[in-house]
Amino acid sequence: MGETIPIAVPRKGRPLESVLDRLADRLGVPGLADDITSTLRHEKALTKGSIDPDEEDVYHRLADYSAVDDPTEPEYTLVRDDRAGKPRRIVFDSVTVPLTGVEGAPDDATIQLVGREEPFRSLRTHEFALGFDSADLVLEEVVELRPEPLGRIADINARIDPSDTDVQVVTGLGDTVYHTLLATPEVAPASGSLDRDFLEYYEGSLCIEPRYERLVQAVLGTRALAGIDFRYPEEGREEEAAIADAGLGVYLTVTGSTAREHGLLLGEQLFPSETVLLENAAETTETVALVRALLNGGDLETELAVSR
């Protein structure tokens, strides 16, 4: 039996699809990646009610999808969705991929993608040496808050206290959407740009999602937050509508179209919300380093040069 390197990955959504795209490219398994992606998109549509369910219930579909006797075929599991009624939703659980043909890999070596709700925290507790998660969670949990803003993924590692965690960011996957500064025309500067410089002089309300408070503090820098009061959307209220009420806010903007529907102007893109490859240096072995290099690649502008 060869060595198996487990890798923590998100259970669903855009971050997992980005990981699967990277795996398909590096290991030549596009069919496997497409199979998992299409299955989870179908299940998401069922959960949201976008398509009508078939005659099989969720337990029968789970049995149909999962190949428990073959680890090289994907396996799925059930979790409670956070929508009204908390329906059960099928999400990714695990799959094993041989490293056959990968130069330098031990004979019969494999990687195992393992679904986790919060992969970053699994690395922090030394369950895994490698994993993928949103860069947002790293900012929310471990980066130091400083007067100066943090604007790039490449700067994250310099703000991680090594006594706090052994986890470091290796590279981004390029699936970028941005935390963006938004404002009503009444609040936006009449001249100049709606950016961090504007915030240096602004005093008043800034509407954000409560879970992003520490991220926003890191991204904007504590100096810019002097004179600013955080406001939060009321439960059930659309974030961009709440920002329009407050006059100014930070929102994870994909296209900007809904912001404009609320009369908001798009300002500076403050920080990329991107899936990143993470490593717990304390758990690194020779094979882990090989897999890290394989998944890292070297073809993205977001790639980080991490000293070792």
Side-chain angles (χ1 to χ4, degrees):
M1 179 68 67
E3 184 177 3
T4 296
I5 303 300
I7 302 174
V9 301
R11 289 194 181 276
K12 62 185 185 302
R14 174 179 60 89
L16 176 59
E17 291 186 12
S18 298
V19 174
L20 293 170
D21 287 344
R22 174 55 61 95
L23 194 72
D25 178 59
R26 296 295 185 263
L27 293 178
V29 288
L32 175 64
D34 289 345
D35 180 23
I36 297 171
T37 296
S38 61
T39 296
L40 294 180
R41 286 183 177 179
H42 177 73
E43 286 300 315
K44 178 181 179 180
L46 286 172
T47 304
K48 293 180 66 176
S50 303
I51 59 174
D52 294 328
D54 50 31
E55 295 181 0
E56 289 190 325
D57 64 23
V58 66
Y59 297 101
H60 285 94
R61 296 199 308 274
L62 178 65
D64 290 341
Y65 295 147
S66 293
V68 295
D69 296 328
D70 184 355
T72 64
E73 294 293 327
E75 188 173 349
Y76 301 88
T77 190
L78 289 171
V79 298
R80 287 288 187 185
D81 193 83
D82 57 4
R83 292 178 176 83
K86 298 189 180 299
R88 291 188 180 275
R89 177 171 173 179
I90 292 176
V91 296
F92 175 73
D93 185 73
S94 64
V95 70
T96 298
V97 183
L99 294 180
T100 306
V102 175
E103 185 177 354
D107 293 341
D108 299 325
T110 61
I111 63 172
Q112 183 186 36
L113 302 185
V114 182
R116 286 289 184 266
E117 288 303 309
E118 296 173 325
F120 173 59
R121 291 175 180 167
S122 297
L123 267 74
R124 292 196 71 191
T125 55
H126 296 258
E127 296 177 59
F128 296 85
L130 295 172
F132 293 89
D133 209 338
S134 170
D136 290 357
L137 191 59
V138 183
L139 267 66
E140 291 164 20
E141 292 222 344
V142 298
V143 298
E144 296 176 344
L145 300 181
R146 299 180 183 176
E148 301 77 21
L150 175 66
R152 303 186 308 152
I153 287 178
D155 296 330
I156 291 179
N157 286 343
R159 293 203 181 185
I160 296 177
D161 184 348
S163 66
D164 185 29
T165 180
D166 293 308
V167 180
Q168 295 269 291
V169 177
V170 179
T171 194
L173 297 190
D175 57 335
T176 309
V177 292
Y178 284 91
H179 294 276
T180 303
L181 192 61
L182 305 176
T184 60
E186 294 76 18
V187 172
S191 60
S193 300
L194 180 59
D195 55 17
R196 287 183 176 87
D197 290 339
F198 165 72
L199 291 176
E200 292 280 352
Y201 304 99
Y202 172 80
E203 293 187 356
S205 298
L206 181 72
C207 185
I208 60 171
E209 277 290 325
R211 69 181 185 275
Y212 287 138
E213 182 168 326
R214 198 173 189 282
L215 180 148
V216 170
Q217 289 176 316
V219 167
L220 295 179
T222 56
R223 181 178 58 239
L225 292 173
I228 289 178
D229 297 316
F230 287 139
R231 283 181 54 181
Y232 311 108
E234 295 179 3
E235 186 174 354
R237 185 155 176 74
E238 188 176 9
E239 288 91 337
E240 287 149 309
I243 291 173
D245 292 341
L248 185 69
V250 176
Y251 183 66
L252 191 60
T253 306
V254 179
T255 65
S257 59
T258 53
R260 295 185 183 95
E261 290 174 5
H262 289 283
L264 295 169
L265 303 176
L266 274 68
E268 182 179 356
Q269 294 179 330
L270 301 170
F271 187 81
S273 178
E274 189 169 322
T275 306
V276 292
L277 171 61
L278 302 160
E279 179 183 19
N280 188 316
E283 302 298 327
T284 299
T285 65
E286 185 175 338
T287 307
V288 167
L290 183 148
V291 172
R292 179 195 68 227
L294 177 69
L295 296 174
N296 187 3
D299 57 352
L300 290 175
E301 292 181 1
T302 54
E303 183 184 356
L304 306 180
V306 181
S307 59
R308 301 191 181 280

